[in-house]
Amino acid sequence: VLSSGYGSLTESKQQQLMQNLFYVKELFANFAVKDTAYFRFGKQTITWGTGYFFSPSSNTVNLSAIDPEDTTKQVEGPLALRTQITFPGSQNCLWAYMIPDANLFTFNSASYTYAKNTAFALRGDIVAGGWEFGAGGYYRNEHAPRGIFTASGTLFNKIAVFGEYVYAYGTETEWSKQSGWDGKTSVFQATAGGTYTWKEPQITFAAQYYYDGNGDDAFNKATHGHNAAGLVSFAKVFTTDITASMFGNVNFTEKTATASAMLFYSPVTELKLGAGPYVIWTSFDDKPQAAVKLSAELVGGKF
């Protein structure tokens, strides 16, 4: 059936379609040295960052960003060698990553050049008093080096809070136009937020603020500048078969926003159907555009 549909498509379009139909999210192998050092090699999502809707730390090392409208969707990670070293008698650990250029394995005359583009990332985590603090760095030849700081914990034993801070020396545009360490600007990214779950009637609240100082150089231009997102999720509406959520996302710099309210019904455990209004503001000066959003989710896949 697929081949019969390819007749009128160009070769590039065929390749793009096949990539959308089949791709590998993660494929890796684990091995360990005693109970101290753990290694993982392969395509993998790197679990940096503490953010719920936005995570500049995760954006630094992964290939895609968190989707604020679908935070459970897996972020695509790179091909990498991960080393985890744990400190006996504690929850503290050290993470080291080597992220080669994907073209390194073409084994041609340019392989040396690709090898120079291997990225290195290092991060340490410390757990103290119910809080977790992280600090790390990222380096890739002729790209903006970054320093990363994260924190997460609870307030009043009820509210889970988190924060991230990323400092970059220069933008990617600056490094692409001029190599060397002179003449680069300082770029900051910061985010903070929290979540709270009301056990009965099972309502979850989540909110997060995010500032991205990259401007047009941002990892995801739609999120540069000042952003805020919030979610109210109902795990039970009269019955556990019916759930609901309300979501909002605002970019104050671009003056754009989205909002939705979804009602979900699960007739069986393996199936989840959803419907609700979806509103988009392409500009605060214009009237919003409204539509009906429909969704269907099966265990192990989405449509």
Side-chain angles (χ1 to χ4, degrees), residues 3 9 16 26 101 112 134 156 162 166 168 175 192 236 244 255:
S3 60
L9 296 177
Q16 183 179 3
E26 288 193 305
D101 189 302
Y112 173 73
F156 315 113
F162 51 84
V166 175
W175 281 92
K236 176 181 178 183
K255 297 182 179 181

Side-chain angles (χ1 to χ4, degrees), residues 129-131 153-161 195-197 199:
W131 286 75
T154 58
L155 295 177
F156 315 113
N157 295 321
K158 294 182 179 180
I159 304 174
V161 295
T195 62
Y196 172 74
T197 299
K199 293 184 179 180

